Amino acid sequence: MQRELDGEGTPLEIALVGVNRMDSAGGNEEICNGRDLPWLQDVADQNVWGVWSVTYRDVVVLDEENVPVAVFNLTTGDLGNPAHYDSLKALLWAVAGR
């Protein structure tokens, strides 16, 4: 989706980044293998998952100030379903101001 978003142009940059749960650091190498999605590791002094009340497989959409404005869960909104894919893409474009 990142390549698709980049190719369509937007007033604001849209960047997709994964943030791993603190207690799952051991799986970082495996999750990154063969992928190009930037991957960050949550740590205790940031506690991103806690601060943002993240649920497993949430896509947290941030505004230009890096404030969460929407959540899209990939378990209930499987991107293999074209309608869900389109919904997430439309959400990202809406927040980016397109």
Side-chain angles (χ1 to χ4, degrees):
M1 183 178 286
Q2 182 69 67
R3 283 189 282 281
E4 190 175 337
L5 293 167
D6 290 345
E8 294 176 356
T10 178
L12 298 175
E13 181 180 343
I14 297 174
L16 303 177
V17 178
V19 180
N20 196 23
R21 190 173 60 202
M22 275 189 279
D23 63 349
S24 297
N28 282 334
E29 185 175 339
E30 182 179 343
I31 196 72
C32 293
N33 189 23
R35 295 183 174 96
D36 58 5
L37 178 72
W39 192 251
L40 305 174
Q41 178 59 55
D42 198 3
V43 293
D45 65 329
Q46 296 299 312
N47 189 26
V48 173
W49 276 52
V51 170
W52 291 348
S53 300
V54 173
T55 299
Y56 180 65
R57 301 195 76 212
D58 276 351
V59 174
V60 180
V61 182
L62 309 177
D63 68 10
E64 66 274 4
E65 306 281 324
N66 287 327
V67 174
V69 294
V71 176
F72 185 97
N73 185 273
L74 297 175
T75 299
T76 57
D78 182 351
L79 296 184
N81 177 326
H84 294 159
Y85 185 94
D86 291 344
S87 291
L88 176 57
K89 188 175 168 188
L91 173 61
L92 295 170
W93 280 129
V95 172
R98 181 168 187 211

